[in-house]
Amino acid sequence: TRLGPVGVALYSIGYLAAVAYPCDAGCRPGDPSISQALHNLLGLIGYLTAPATLFLLAWQARRWPRGGAVALVALVGGVCASIGLLSFSPDFEFAGVSQRLIEGGMLAWIFACGIYTLRPRSSAHSSSS
């Protein structure tokens, strides 16, 4: 139960750290700066945790009341993040697509989870006149 939120936190830390240390022009320099090296290392931590985190969250969300849709989004997001991670390579011409698959999977789950929290939990809370 705690591994999913820990994974989201690690992903978020990696993402924010990668923003704090921007990549060099073109993001593929022959002689990377310290900022580029930190960008790559810290961003990679987030990217490596995303697929497993999404699969863990899918497993947990299926147990939530009416959490089937959130679980499905996490499962599909985990598959997308896995494809993104497996295709992610500095030599891959479309490395940006791989990154967006990872980020999109995680952000889709965060969005779905936010929508889930807005839903009423039961009809017992509705007022009747």
Side-chain angles (χ1 to χ4, degrees):
T1 302
R2 292 187 181 154
L3 287 178
V6 167
V8 173
L10 286 173
Y11 172 81
S12 300
I13 290 167
Y15 192 86
L16 291 173
V19 169
Y21 299 101
C23 61
D24 297 340
C27 287
R28 298 179 189 183
D31 186 26
S33 68
I34 296 291
S35 181
Q36 177 72 51
L38 288 170
H39 176 88
N40 291 348
L41 174 67
L42 298 170
L44 184 61
I45 291 169
Y47 285 172
L48 288 173
T49 60
T53 294
L54 288 165
F55 289 129
L56 284 168
L57 292 168
W59 182 260
Q60 288 301 312
R62 68 183 179 77
R63 298 178 183 168
W64 299 349
R66 298 185 324 201
V70 177
L72 182 60
V73 170
L75 181 63
V76 171
V79 169
C80 289
S82 296
I83 292 168
L85 186 61
L86 292 172
S87 64
F88 189 68
S89 166
D91 299 328
F92 182 46
E93 184 179 355
F94 301 105
V97 173
S98 300
Q99 289 178 282
R100 297 317 165 263
L101 282 170
I102 298 166
E103 293 164 3
M106 186 62 82
L107 293 174
W109 179 83
I110 291 169
F111 180 79
C113 196
I115 297 298
Y116 175 82
T117 62
L118 293 174
R119 298 165 120 185
R121 295 289 176 247
S122 69
S123 59
H125 295 296
S126 3
S127 60
S128 55
S129 303

